[in-house]
């Protein structure tokens, strides 16, 4: 799962460039901020096209104070959720190209053109990339009371009871949903998708045991794994995660190319 920062293409790359430092969610200007913008006091909007509490929202809120310190201007996170990120993304595409409105988004930015009949923006023509802010992975997790607490058990139960197991996602077409669809295809199983309007509601019901399974970004899942409120089943990374060294990858458990 890649998180990136964009602004409207017509704002022009020469006004602001960034680079990622040490793989953290930190952007440093590689070229000076324009004098006209530097003299303004109006806050810069960091539009997150998803609900609060999502992985990318966490990234944006870590990024905002560092950008404010670097450029001497307020940077405010603005959650504009809906339509798998399309509504907030459209706002940025139509924003005045003055560098005061930036988009912090994830893979759905380019995926949505294949998932929707039409999208109200062109990810190539309407935006200028600034920097990759972070690189993460999805982890398959379960509620501790779920009938299956390991990936092999989940696959065995799902094959013995097609469409008998539910899983949550923040919405149709999200990376979480598509990751589970890929798992279903690779493992030859059929689960029931329970889409929510954002991560917060899905995670609340997952923690409450109302839905048993879900894919979560590792940085969202970690606090709940460490407090034993969730159980990790597999990692979508190529190698085991340093933060979860005991957690096997999908490939280690016989599910390749996840």
């Amino acid at each position: 799962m890649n998180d990136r920062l964009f602004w409207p293409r017509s704002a022009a790359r020469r006004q602001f460039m960034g680079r990622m430092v040490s793989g953290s969610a930190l952007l440093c200007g590689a070229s000076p901020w324009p004098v006209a913008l530097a003299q303004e006091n109006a806050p810069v909007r960091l539009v997150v096209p998803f609900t609060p509490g999502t992985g990318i929202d966490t990234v944006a809120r870590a990024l905002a104070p560092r950008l404010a310190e670097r450029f001497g201007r307020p940077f405010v996170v603005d959650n504009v959720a809906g339509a798998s990120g399309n509504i907030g993304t459209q706002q940025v595409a139509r924003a005045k190209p003055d560098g005061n409105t930036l988009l912090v988004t994830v893979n759905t930015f380019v995926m949505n053109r294949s998932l929707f009949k039409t999208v109200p923006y062109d990810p190539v023509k309407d935006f200028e990339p600034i920097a990759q802010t972070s690189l993460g992975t999805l982890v398959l997790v379960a509620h501790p009371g779920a009938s299956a607490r390991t990936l092999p058990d989940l696959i065995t139960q799902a094959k013995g009871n097609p469409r008998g197991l539910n899983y949550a996602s923040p919405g149709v077409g999200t990376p979480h949903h598509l990751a589970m669809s890929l798992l279903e295809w690779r493992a030859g199983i059929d689960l029931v998708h329970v889409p929510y309007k954002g991560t917060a509601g899905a995670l609340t019901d997952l923690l409450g045991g109302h839905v048993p399974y879900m894919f979560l970004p590792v940085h969202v899942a970690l606090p709940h794994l460490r407090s034993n409120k969730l159980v990790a089943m597999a990692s979508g990374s190529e190698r085991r995660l340093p933060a979860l060294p005991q957690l096997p990858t999908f490939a280690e458990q016989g599910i390749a190319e996840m």
Side-chain angles (χ1 to χ4, degrees), residues 48-97:
V48 175
F50 302 98
T51 56
T54 55
I56 187 59
D57 178 67
T58 301
V59 169
R61 293 182 188 279
L63 187 64
R66 290 163 174 79
L67 287 171
E69 181 180 1
R70 170 65 177 83
F71 294 107
R73 296 185 59 189
F75 281 74
V76 179
V77 176
D78 187 5
N79 296 91
V80 185
S84 292
N86 284 336
I87 294 177
T89 304
Q90 180 184 16
Q91 274 199 15
V92 178
R94 294 181 177 179
K96 183 179 178 181

Side-chain angles (χ1 to χ4, degrees), residues 42-252:
V44 177
R45 289 176 68 209
L46 293 181
V47 175
V48 175
F50 302 98
T51 56
T54 55
I56 187 59
D57 178 67
T58 301
V59 169
R61 293 182 188 279
L63 187 64
R66 290 163 174 79
L67 287 171
E69 181 180 1
R70 170 65 177 83
F71 294 107
R73 296 185 59 189
F75 281 74
V76 179
V77 176
D78 187 5
N79 296 91
V80 185
S84 292
N86 284 336
I87 294 177
T89 304
Q90 180 184 16
Q91 274 199 15
V92 178
R94 294 181 177 179
K96 183 179 178 181
D98 56 6
N100 291 330
T101 305
L102 308 180
L103 177 69
V104 190
T105 192
V106 293
N107 310 51
T108 51
F109 176 71
V110 293
M111 289 162 46
N112 282 352
R113 293 196 72 179
S114 299
L115 299 174
F116 291 82
K117 289 184 179 180
T118 60
V119 292
Y121 59 87
D122 187 312
V124 176
K125 295 180 180 179
D126 294 341
F127 293 87
E128 191 72 42
I130 298 174
Q132 179 175 302
T133 60
S134 56
L135 181 65
T137 190
L138 291 172
V139 175
L140 178 61
V141 298
H143 183 269
S147 58
R149 292 163 53 96
T150 67
L151 181 61
D153 284 348
L154 173 64
I155 294 172
T156 298
Q157 289 188 23
K159 286 185 175 180
N161 185 19
R163 296 191 62 78
L165 299 177
N166 300 337
Y167 73 94
S169 86
V172 175
T174 57
H176 317 61
H177 172 212
L178 298 181
M180 193 68 86
S181 295
L182 180 60
L183 173 59
E184 290 179 278
W185 178 45
R186 295 289 187 195
I189 58 177
D190 191 8
L191 308 177
V192 177
H193 180 209
V194 183
Y196 286 74
K197 294 181 179 180
T199 298
L203 180 56
T204 296
D205 277 5
L206 176 67
L207 293 171
H210 303 296
V211 285
Y213 308 106
M214 185 176 179
F215 271 97
L216 284 174
V218 62
H219 55 289
V220 175
L222 267 176
H224 306 294
L225 296 174
R226 288 170 174 165
S227 62
N228 297 318
K229 293 179 180 179
L230 293 176
V231 177
M233 305 173 76
S235 164
S237 54
E238 292 184 1
R239 299 177 180 84
R240 294 196 180 196
L241 299 169
L244 296 169
Q246 304 304 315
L247 179 64
T249 66
F250 281 98
E252 288 180 286

